[in-house]
Amino acid sequence: MSDLEGMRNMNVKHAIALAISVVASPLLAQPTPIKMSIAADGTGPKIDRNIFGQFAENLGTGIYGGVWVGEDSSIPNVRGMRSDVVSALKALKVPSVRWPGGCFADEYHWRDGVGPRAKRAITVNGSWGNALEKNDFGTDEFFDFLNQIESEAYISVNMGSGSVKEAADWMAYMTADPGTTAGAERAANGHREPYRVKFLGIGNESWSCGGAYSADYYVDEMKRYARFTRNLNIQQQGTDNPAGGSVAGTDPMQRIAVGPGSMDTAYTEAVMKAWKGHDWSWSIEGLSMHNYTWMSWPPSFSSIDFGEREYAMLIKDTLKMEDMIRVHSAVMDKYDPAKKVPLVIDEWGVWLAKLPGSRDGFLHQQNSIRDAIIASINLNMFTRHADRVRMTAIAQMVNVLQAMILTDGPRMVLTPTYHLFKMYVPFQNATRLPIDFDAGTYSFGDVRVPRIDAIAARGTDGKLWIALTNVDPSKPAQIDAQIAGIRVGAASGTVLTADRVDAINSFDKPDTVAPRPISARVTGGRLQVTLPPKSVTVLSVTP
């Protein structure tokens, strides 16, 4: 054999070896499909549409500039409410809006925000940046806003610096017949018919900014507020009791007590024990819980220009919500095994460091594909606990924390979290269905979290709806789902993803992260779809 022939043989052998190594490379090999089974003919609890509620606090530019611009603004508006924001929120089918706080609620005196605006008090928002509060947006404006977006009111009364009488007077202003003095004042301010107050929060974080009360002291005060802060809207009233008002539990207004903000069960124990022993004179119909994704206090993770480490750590921190729900639900089950009292998670979301250059106390942050994925994980957890978790409110609606919408003067941009909420609209009041799958593991450094998350439901439209989250930021996931109980005909849907974990929508580039169609194959009762990295997919399946 000549040297040239030897070299040729060596080259051929090397090429064959290289080809074999490439084929065998795990980086290029087809991933093993993730098996999933869905019982489309099964049953489960209703996914209450109030799980998809919103929170709007008088904080930063959440109200002023975000919702309210005033009738004289050059920004298109209806009676002072931004038309672009109203239209966007209406598309989300927002079930309820919590207002005026938050910590602000316990320093808010409702009389400062009614009557002619030129005569309203100008106060200082001591909770958030000592900003001037002109009170242009008050009770009547709030209900006008709700009417425009077609949502329900979740009013938080001032239990910290206020009184039972002030709260009762506010309820009378909102709900009393116009033949009463309170109702006549409301009518004189432009709204003759009583307002509909669906939810009433009795204080806010009373273990902290709402008064720093002990659990037992809070319960004593809570009973007084629950007894005397009445809904006087006769169209909403239930069966009258001998002492006047409504028999506990028959009034469709749901009173929500302050509950936990950590793993400490003191408030949960005290409130539920009191509820267990309540009589006709008072009751509560919900227990609140607050929990944020933030890693540590004060929040230091950036909402822009971050990498996979920060992505992975915040995904892991989000999963503590599951432990919170489990621990406090167990206490509630002890006193309420029939699950009559819902767990109301009326503050949740990603709380990050303020944007550079923004004002202290305004809680202004950007919103990335990471935040949308975290929102999907939270909503999926709420859905899995839908028998107990029947209402939540993400913090917050516009320009604050994990917002649906960001504004800057006349400009508006929809965030990835907005798009996620819109994709989940079909799950409102749907019936949760049994679903089983191997979640697998996504790891980065010492962080290990489930790679895949999924829920399934039968929508009010009769369709099968499936939400699929791929947490892994770099690897796609192939789903092979066996669907039992229905004839599977076709599947269609949308996917929300991006090329970077820190991808955001800016005013200059508003569609960087936006839903797009995704293809799914249906054959022989099986549904097959490939989930892109760092993505949320929502599919509908029809016969």
Side-chain angles (χ1 to χ4, degrees):
M1 181 186 298
S2 68
D3 290 343
L4 180 60
E5 290 175 327
M7 290 176 63
R8 286 174 177 169
N9 288 339
M10 287 178 62
N11 287 339
V12 169
K13 292 178 181 178
H14 178 72
I16 293 172
L18 179 62
I20 293 172
S21 68
V22 167
V23 170
S25 171
L27 294 177
L28 298 179
Q30 290 296 315
T32 303
I34 297 167
K35 299 296 183 181
M36 183 175 292
S37 62
I38 300 170
D41 57 348
T43 188
K46 183 177 80 170
I47 305 169
D48 196 306
R49 69 186 299 260
N50 285 299
I51 284 175
F52 303 89
Q54 301 284 335
F55 176 27
E57 185 170 4
N58 284 44
L59 192 172
T61 57
I63 298 295
Y64 299 108
V67 170
W68 172 263
V69 292
E71 296 97 326
D72 298 330
S73 174
S74 60
I75 298 172
N77 68 86
V78 175
R79 294 181 299 279
M81 314 296 165
R82 293 185 64 128
S83 297
D84 53 358
V85 169
V86 166
S87 177
L89 291 172
K90 200 171 177 180
L92 291 186
K93 301 186 183 301
V94 177
S96 60
V97 179
R98 182 175 179 242
W99 176 83
C103 293
F104 180 78
D106 282 301
E107 62 178 84
Y108 181 66
H109 301 283
W110 69 273
R111 282 209 163 275
D112 292 342
V114 297
R117 292 193 197 97
K119 296 182 179 180
R120 294 184 188 180
I122 298 176
T123 58
V124 173
N125 188 335
S127 290
W128 303 113
N130 289 327
L132 289 182
E133 172 60 58
K134 294 179 64 179
N135 287 295
D136 285 347
F137 187 92
T139 303
D140 296 296
E141 289 78 16
F142 175 61
F143 279 94
D144 187 5
F145 170 64
L146 290 181
N147 182 62
Q148 291 189 38
I149 68 170
E150 300 178 1
S151 189
E152 297 274 14
Y154 179 5
I155 296 289
S156 296
V157 297
N158 183 345
M159 194 182 193
S161 65
S163 66
V164 172
K165 183 180 186 305
E166 182 181 20
D169 289 347
W170 193 13
M171 281 299 298
Y173 177 84
M174 291 184 284
T175 66
D177 185 274
T180 66
T181 299
E185 181 182 5
R186 182 191 63 246
N189 288 334
H191 202 278
R192 176 178 173 79
E193 295 303 313
Y195 291 122
R196 176 181 167 89
V197 180
K198 182 66 175 175
F199 307 100
L200 186 75
I202 303 177
N204 167 76
E205 295 189 0
S206 299
W207 30 264
S208 180
C209 67
Y213 300 157
S214 69
D216 289 339
Y217 182 83
Y218 170 77
V219 166
D220 286 342
E221 289 293 288
M222 176 198 73
K223 292 177 182 178
R224 296 174 63 228
Y225 277 78
R227 172 70 179 95
F228 296 108
T229 308
R230 298 188 181 101
N231 181 359
L232 302 176
N233 187 341
I234 59 173
Q235 294 180 349
Q236 286 187 265
Q237 289 291 3
T239 305
D240 286 343
N241 68 52
S246 294
V247 174
T250 63
D251 187 338
M253 182 181 77
Q254 299 177 36
R255 288 151 289 201
I256 298 167
V258 171
S262 69
M263 289 293 186
D264 188 339
T265 60
Y267 262 69
T268 309
E269 286 275 1
V271 171
M272 292 307 298
K273 182 178 180 180
W275 173 85
K276 180 72 172 178
H278 80 270
D279 60 19
W280 63 265
S281 66
W282 74 274
S283 186
I284 54 102
E285 291 81 33
L287 178 76
S288 79
M289 185 180 91
H290 293 176
N291 180 58
Y292 286 93
T293 294
W294 56 23
M295 280 299 298
S296 62
W297 184 262
S300 59
F301 277 48
S302 176
S303 61
I304 56 173
D305 301 327
F306 56 86
E308 188 173 350
R309 172 182 170 274
E310 293 83 1
Y311 171 89
M313 292 178 72
L314 285 182
I315 294 289
K316 181 178 180 180
D317 193 60
T318 299
L319 298 177
K320 71 178 186 288
M321 178 71 82
E322 181 77 33
D323 294 331
M324 290 272 289
I325 294 173
R326 176 181 51 79
V327 166
H328 293 287
S329 292
V331 176
M332 296 177 77
D333 289 346
K334 182 169 64 173
Y335 297 100
D336 174 30
K339 301 184 188 298
K340 295 179 180 179
V341 179
L343 182 60
V344 178
I345 306 172
D346 51 15
E347 286 190 31
W348 67 273
V350 183
W351 191 329
L352 303 169
K354 75 182 186 73
L355 277 175
S358 65
R359 182 169 172 175
D360 287 345
F362 274 33
L363 308 188
H364 188 46
Q365 64 190 46
Q366 248 294 353
N367 195 292
S368 66
I369 184 64
R370 174 186 64 185
D371 302 322
I373 288 172
I374 286 174
S376 77
I377 293 169
N378 275 301
L379 290 173
N380 291 354
M381 282 190 282
F382 303 155
T383 296
R384 282 191 284 270
H385 293 275
D387 56 346
R388 179 65 81 179
V389 178
R390 300 199 288 276
M391 184 175 181
T392 83
I394 188 171
Q396 292 186 11
M397 195 166 61
V398 185
N399 287 337
V400 176
L401 299 178
Q402 192 176 350
M404 305 290 112
I405 298 167
L406 301 176
T407 66
D408 178 23
R411 300 190 294 176
M412 181 193 81
V413 66
L414 304 177
T415 69
T417 299
Y418 174 93
H419 293 306
L420 185 282
F421 264 68
K422 191 171 182 182
M423 289 167 64
Y424 269 60
V425 165
F427 290 93
Q428 294 188 13
N429 283 342
T431 300
R432 194 189 74 200
L433 296 174
I435 182 170
D436 184 63
F437 58 95
D438 178 8
T441 302
Y442 158 63
S443 60
F444 183 86
D446 60 354
V447 174
R448 295 174 62 84
V449 297
R451 178 189 178 201
I452 301 297
D453 196 8
I455 57 171
R458 183 168 52 251
T460 57
D461 58 3
K463 295 181 181 178
L464 169 63
W465 290 91
I466 308 168
L468 302 158
T469 300
N470 181 11
V471 168
D472 195 310
S474 58
K475 297 179 182 178
Q478 291 186 3
I479 302 297
D480 182 7
Q482 176 70 49
I483 300 175
I486 62 170
R487 185 176 67 86
V488 180
S492 62
T494 56
V495 61
L496 190 68
T497 188
D499 60 349
R500 294 167 52 93
V501 292
D502 61 346
I504 62 172
N505 291 337
S506 66
F507 296 109
D508 296 327
K509 297 180 178 179
D511 298 317
T512 300
V513 187
R516 59 179 174 79
I518 188 170
S519 298
R521 186 173 63 179
V522 175
T523 54
R526 306 192 78 86
L527 177 131
Q528 296 171 329
V529 62
T530 299
L531 310 179
K534 54 188 172 308
S535 68
V536 182
T537 298
V538 173
L539 299 171
S540 65
V541 178
T542 54

